[in-house]
Amino acid sequence: MLNRRNFLTAAVGVAAATGLAACAKDDGGSSGSSGGGSKAITLGFSQVGSESGWRSANSDSVKSAAKEAGYTLKFSDAQQKQENQISAIRNYIAQKVDVIAFSPVVVTGWDAVLKEAKAAKIPVVLTDRSVETSDDSLYVTLVGSDFTDEGRRAAKILEKVLEKAGHKGPVKIAQLEGTTGAAPAIERAKGFKEVMDADHADDWKIVVSQTGDFTRAGGKQVMAAFLQSNPDIDVLFAHNDDMGIGAIQAIEAAGKKPGKDILIVTVDGVKDGFVAMSEGKINAIVECNPLLGPQLMEVVKKVKDGETVERWIKTKESDFMQDQAKDALPTRKY
């Protein structure tokens, strides 16, 4: 994994590209204008997909920020397939864009295409997610969140949720993981387990854990299976809001009350998550800010101008508890 101490983390939006090859989904064109008399920056961006409310908000942020900055944006949707992203990046290289940005589907398997971009002298910016690479010079910077810390904060906020609920004794936890091999899935699980092992080795136990692919449908299907095999689950930790919302449907279908019979902690902070929290169905949310577009465009300009940028740019995030939900609802537009 990336050595996050050598990184700077900042929430930034992603700009993307149109000329995606073969099976990846193209949004139908470029956006942006030259603005003034100078040549417009052309940014190629490959997005993971549209698997969640967070991802949709992230894509909208990138597109609107690129338009406002006057950049030519080429945007492609990888539909959660690494091969689609690799094809898109190679397409951007062939088009000789100024900068390439992408949010990696998974952590590994990027060295070859990143070397091709470096050979073409096209700088690469990672957004939202990290990669494992044999050569850190293959990309300029990562703009995103500290997922490990989000996992830690989820565990710490669960302590407050359990206290507020008056729960005593052992805690049986179900974990809905994100996409297998993706940085947020790996690191959120890692951070949560760090706190659990350090502070709750005797009373907390993850009794079942499986990927729901960051989707609402996946969360519902996997949670239904969890309840069949472990009907006495006390807590659900979902790696994003959408899986948590899907799980709520399965919990209610099983005749249980989400937020009461099963306490729920999620990560993201999308509108539907806030709504579920205001209804008492989600007990707490750890924020992961999707509105990265403006910061990404600032980074792209600096990179294009040859300026030095931090290795990791980090966004400030907060925790949302159930009793704060109504106040939190209007804080963001999606």
Side-chain angles (χ1 to χ4, degrees):
M1 290 299 300
L2 292 170
N3 184 342
R4 288 190 173 270
R5 287 177 295 182
N6 294 334
F7 272 49
L8 162 64
T9 283
V12 303
V14 183
T18 44
L20 177 61
C23 46
K25 181 180 178 183
D26 196 310
D27 75 350
S30 302
S31 63
S33 60
S34 58
S38 61
K39 178 181 179 293
I41 292 173
T42 299
L43 172 64
F45 177 70
S46 177
Q47 181 61 282
V48 171
S50 53
E51 76 283 357
S52 64
W54 191 100
R55 191 63 55 190
S56 296
N58 179 242
S59 293
D60 289 345
S61 177
V62 170
K63 291 175 182 178
S64 63
K67 183 176 181 180
E68 184 171 345
Y71 298 171
T72 298
L73 174 64
K74 296 179 179 292
F75 186 96
S76 61
D77 180 342
Q79 300 177 323
Q80 294 183 279
K81 295 179 180 180
Q82 184 179 30
E83 59 268 30
N84 289 355
Q85 284 198 306
I86 291 172
S87 293
I89 293 168
R90 286 182 171 143
N91 195 294
Y92 300 150
I93 294 169
Q95 293 181 52
K96 299 180 181 180
V97 301
D98 295 305
V99 180
I100 292 171
F102 75 109
S103 183
V105 175
V106 293
V107 170
T108 59
W110 301 103
D111 278 24
V113 73
L114 291 178
K115 287 177 181 176
E116 293 171 27
K118 185 176 181 179
K121 297 182 180 180
I122 300 175
V124 174
V125 176
L126 303 180
T127 65
D128 176 38
R129 299 178 176 187
S130 60
V131 300
E132 289 181 358
T133 177
S134 60
D135 180 0
D136 282 349
S137 72
L138 295 178
Y139 63 92
V140 177
T141 188
L142 163 67
V143 189
S145 301
D146 188 332
F147 298 132
T148 302
D149 190 57
E150 289 172 354
R152 295 188 193 106
R153 288 190 286 129
K156 297 303 289 185
I157 205 168
L158 176 57
E159 295 174 335
K160 298 177 183 179
V161 168
L162 289 165
E163 181 181 0
K164 185 174 180 179
H167 183 92
K168 305 294 183 182
V171 180
K172 296 181 179 180
I173 302 170
Q175 180 173 231
L176 274 169
E177 305 168 22
T179 303
T180 301
I186 295 168
E187 295 171 24
R188 286 170 185 164
K190 176 185 175 183
F192 188 90
K193 193 172 186 300
E194 278 182 13
V195 174
M196 188 177 76
D197 290 349
D199 301 335
H200 299 283
D202 296 331
D203 57 335
W204 289 15
K205 182 179 180 181
I206 296 178
V207 295
V208 63
S209 184
Q210 186 176 324
T211 180
D213 275 333
F214 283 128
T215 68
R216 201 167 296 195
K220 180 179 181 180
Q221 180 180 359
V222 175
M223 190 66 195
F226 283 174
L227 291 169
Q228 289 290 323
S229 60
N230 295 272
D232 55 350
I233 292 168
D234 300 307
V235 169
L236 170 66
F237 170 42
H239 287 186
N240 77 341
D241 290 346
D242 279 79
M243 289 191 297
I245 292 166
I248 286 170
Q249 297 171 7
I251 291 167
E252 291 176 332
K256 295 178 180 287
K257 293 183 178 180
K260 293 184 179 179
D261 296 329
I262 298 178
L263 304 175
I264 301 175
V265 174
T266 65
V267 181
D268 270 356
V270 301
K271 181 179 178 181
D272 287 352
F274 285 147
V275 171
M277 190 164 56
S278 71
E279 296 171 345
K281 295 179 180 182
I282 290 178
N283 302 86
I285 297 174
V286 174
E287 182 189 14
C288 181
N289 194 335
L291 307 181
L292 310 181
Q295 293 98 318
L296 176 62
M297 300 313 144
E298 291 175 7
V299 170
V300 167
K301 185 177 188 304
K302 288 181 178 180
V303 169
K304 180 65 172 60
D305 291 344
E307 296 182 29
T308 300
V309 297
E310 297 89 348
R311 186 63 173 165
W312 185 24
I313 304 173
K314 182 178 181 180
T315 185
K316 183 177 180 181
E317 296 168 342
S318 58
D319 299 328
F320 299 103
M321 290 289 290
Q322 180 178 330
D323 56 3
Q324 296 172 317
K326 291 181 180 178
D327 291 336
L329 276 170
T331 59
R332 289 210 217 108
K333 294 181 180 179
Y334 290 94

